[in-house]
Each structure stands twice: as structure tokens, then as C-alpha cells.
Amino acid sequence: MSSTTQAGVLAARFQETFGAAADGVWQAPGRVNLIGEHTDYNEGFVLPFAIDKTAKVALRVRDDSKVRMLSTFGGHGVVEADLAASEPGSGEGWSRYPLGVAWALKERGITVPGFDLLLDSDVPSGAGLSSSHAIECAVISALNELTGAGLAAEDLVLATQRAENVFVGAPTGIMDQSASLRGAKGHAVFLDCRDQHVELVPFDAEASGLVLLVIDTKVSHSHADGGYASRRASCELGAEVLGVKALRDVGVERLEEASGLLDETTLRRVRHVVTENDRVLQAVETLGAAGPAAIGELLDASHVSMRDDFEISCPELDLAVDTSRASGAIGARMTGGGFGGSTIALTPVGQEQQVRDAVVRSFAAAGFVAPDIFTVTPAAGALRLA
């Protein structure tokens, strides 16, 4: 079913649910991070891309401050709220994300009316593919247009980050929403998280005879939990001890010096961020010079760093990576915030089924829940469908 057809179906269901026509239908994609994990909030470099799995919202503004929201994948009925009483920490489940971006726009001085909203999403939840940011970016795109706010993509990125950090309580950076709002078909988004400078880097795995497999381990994670926050605190401590604004300002050549100044745990956290920034820069250069088939070793090294230095992997992620590599993938790593979620495996087309089968068998042998395995391709960023 095409996106246009899906938009029509969602609009019809909206009218049936709320008794009036939607003002429009917007969509925003999830994302896969090709490389560059936990570098964004350290003002470093990342290389994500928007994927061909999206959150779609049909939305109609109201003449009061009431909000009514329904999800096609819920079972919880219509969620009701009042923007006049909405504040950080309020809302439950997925409803926090629309409420959060509305709050963040109001904080910027924009008059945000109440609204009715119907959500449909095929971005896997908890898989590390940024399902929450896809919702936020679809909603903020709609509200930005319908309120006449006219904010640029860079401002929408900061508003959604504010919603995540303050309203939802998840100390995330700007990578996910930047990919969702600024992505382009056939390209990865090379983002400098210090100044939001973006360069679109061609990433066409298919033309190189490759597919990018996503292996959703079904181990759910949450950015609002303590593991993510503690890693961020370690990075801030490392930057403070090393006398820099952010770890972005620490080069690989300073790691030996850092080893004499930092405790062992903080040193490992710092080493991951510093070397990961370097790997992102190498990946961008390599993609331009030699294409996707040449970045396998960088993907492998990234996973080892996240597993050993940042300690955000888990047995399921490690098994998916190790099995993929042993079965024909040219490079593999976990993607996303960690503690669960998904891995990616850059795989020759002829080896795809072999990798899929081997991963399924290895999970069964280990007694793990069967993973979901699917391919993704770089897709367009947030847009209005109808």
C-alpha cells in the first residue's frame, strides 16, 4: 500500500473516530544509525539515516485546549488531556510525545491550540529505531504548519530535544530527530551535533550488492532509564576533568593523557566517545572514496567499543552481531542507545538468507526470544502526505 493510500485510510478512520475531517496527514520516519553512538550529546559527529518505516498522524486543531489522541496499535481507547494543565512529567505511554512537543512549542511562545490526533506507526517500538522521535517529528511537523509557526528544521530539532529532555525526562541528544526531520532518500545524514551542520552522504547499499539487515532482538530498552543517564554523566565528568566544553574536543591523541587523569570507568566511557567520533569521520571519508562495501571494519570496531568501553550491549545484541559476521556479513554493530534494541548487519545480497537463518538458529539455541529481521533503506524525512 502506497503512502498516499495509507494517508487516505488514516484520514477516513480519523473522521470516523472524531466525527470531523482531519486538517491533514503527516509522517516522519524512524532512523537507523549507521555509526556514531552516544556522540551526539557530546557535541560530536553521527551518521544516521531516515528509514522506510514511519509514524503517521492525522491531526485536526481544536478551538479549545483539549487534546484527544488515539493510536491504531493501542487498545487503550482515546487518551484525553488538556494543554492548559500539561506540564513536564505528565502523560503516559506514547501520549507523552505529542504532549511534549506541544509543550515545547508553547515554551517558545507559540500559541498551540488543542487537537485531535490519530496515530499509526510501523516503526518497531523499543527496537532502537527511534519510534518515539518518529511520533514527535510527525506531530511537530503538523503543529508547525497548522499554527503558522514556520520554524526551520533546526528549531524543530531543538524543540523535540527539549520535549524529550524536560517533558519526557530522557536525556537524549539531537541525532534521532535530525535524521527524521532532515533525512533524504538514498543518503545518510552526516551531522555535526555542535552546530547542526548537515551534509547528505550517498549511501546506496543495493548498488554495491549489499543489504542492510536490522535484527530486532526484542529486548526492549528505554532512554528514560538510569543506564543512559549514567553514561551521559560519565561523559560530562570526563569533559570536566579534561578541561574541555565537550568530549568532541578531545582527540584520539589525548587518550594516553586521559588515562592518567580519569578513573577506569570514566576513561572507558571517554575512550568510546573519542574513538567513535573518529570512526564517524573515517566512515564519511570511506563512503565517499570507496562506497558502502568498505566500511565493514568500522562497524565491527564500533560494536566492540560499545560492548567493552561503553558497556551498553547485552547477550542478545552480541550474539546477533557475532552470528551475522560469522555467517557472511561484512560488518555488524548494535544501533541505538543500547541495553537492548537492534543490531545492523551490512550483508552481501547473496548471503542475506544465510545470515537470517543463522541468527534465528543461534537465538533458538540460546533460549532467546525469536528476533525480527528485516531490511531498511535510506528514505525521505518528515513530510505532509495529505
Side-chain angles (χ1 to χ4, degrees):
M1 189 185 299
S2 70
S3 293
T4 302
T5 302
Q6 290 175 337
V9 171
L10 194 64
R13 183 164 176 180
F14 180 97
Q15 181 146 5
E16 179 183 334
T17 301
F18 294 109
D23 291 328
V25 179
W26 289 259
Q27 78 171 20
R31 67 95 188 95
V32 155
N33 191 21
L34 193 58
I35 196 164
E37 226 65 75
H38 290 266
T39 50
D40 58 346
Y41 55 80
N42 289 291
E43 300 187 11
F45 305 104
V46 292
L47 190 64
F49 61 83
I51 62 174
D52 49 343
K53 292 184 179 295
T54 63
K56 296 178 176 65
V57 296
L59 191 145
R60 178 179 71 93
V61 296
R62 298 168 56 93
D63 57 7
D64 56 23
S65 63
K66 305 296 184 185
V67 174
R68 297 186 297 174
M69 297 176 285
L70 179 67
S71 163
T72 62
F73 57 84
H76 307 294
V78 175
V79 177
E80 297 188 355
D82 190 334
L83 292 185
S86 183
E87 59 184 17
S90 62
E92 295 182 0
W94 70 270
S95 71
R96 297 175 297 164
Y97 305 119
L99 292 175
V101 295
W103 172 85
L105 289 174
K106 288 176 63 179
E107 193 186 40
R108 284 174 167 257
I110 297 165
T111 300
V112 181
F115 52 87
D116 295 332
L117 179 152
L118 179 62
L119 166 69
D120 182 61
S121 178
D122 62 359
V123 185
S125 178
L129 303 183
S130 198
S131 58
S132 61
H133 283 97
I135 297 170
E136 290 173 342
C137 291
V139 174
I140 205 168
S141 295
L143 293 178
N144 187 46
E145 180 177 339
L146 294 175
T147 63
L151 296 178
E154 293 87 344
D155 293 318
L156 297 180
V157 165
L158 295 178
T160 52
Q161 183 191 25
R162 182 74 174 163
E164 280 277 324
N165 291 175
V166 180
F167 195 92
V168 178
T172 55
I174 63 170
M175 175 182 69
D176 296 348
Q177 54 271 68
S178 294
S180 187
L181 289 164
R182 305 179 73 180
K185 185 176 181 180
H187 292 77
V189 179
F190 175 42
L191 172 68
D192 183 334
C193 295
R194 171 159 283 170
D195 62 9
Q196 289 204 62
H197 175 72
V198 159
E199 293 180 23
L200 295 176
V201 178
F203 181 71
D204 189 347
E206 184 179 356
S208 299
L210 302 167
V211 294
L212 191 71
L213 287 172
V214 174
I215 302 166
D216 178 1
T217 66
K218 295 298 186 178
V219 179
S220 187
H221 72 159
S222 170
H223 280 170
D225 69 12
Y228 190 101
S230 70
R231 297 310 186 277
R232 184 161 186 165
S234 287
C235 292
E236 292 169 352
L237 173 61
E240 180 181 356
V241 172
L242 293 172
V244 294
K245 181 174 182 286
L247 291 182
R248 146 72 172 271
D249 302 307
V250 180
V252 175
E253 70 280 356
R254 286 198 67 189
L255 288 176
E256 184 175 351
E257 172 196 351
S259 68
L261 299 173
L262 302 171
D263 65 86
E264 183 181 347
T265 298
T266 306
L267 174 63
R268 290 200 307 271
R269 308 298 187 248
V270 167
R271 184 166 57 211
H272 164 71
V273 173
V274 171
T275 58
E276 186 79 344
N277 268 324
D278 188 60
R279 282 186 287 271
V280 174
L281 298 176
Q282 289 185 57
V284 171
E285 181 178 355
T286 302
L287 284 170
I295 64 169
E297 290 185 1
L298 292 170
L299 302 183
D300 293 342
S302 175
H303 185 77
V304 170
S305 181
M306 289 185 287
R307 182 192 68 200
D308 298 345
D309 280 346
F310 224 59
E311 297 181 288
I312 53 173
S313 192
C314 67
E316 291 87 347
L317 290 170
D318 292 339
L319 182 60
V321 166
D322 293 344
T323 305
S324 297
R325 289 292 286 114
S327 306
I330 66 171
R333 64 184 287 273
M334 57 152 282
T335 186
F339 311 103
S342 299
T343 66
I344 56 174
L346 192 58
T347 306
V349 171
Q351 303 292 109
E352 177 185 350
Q353 194 59 50
Q354 181 173 309
V355 171
R356 286 175 176 265
D357 292 344
V359 171
V360 170
R361 286 195 304 268
S362 69
F363 270 54
F368 296 153
V369 173
D372 277 348
I373 305 175
F374 50 91
T375 61
V376 292
T377 57
L383 51 87
R384 181 170 182 161
L385 291 175

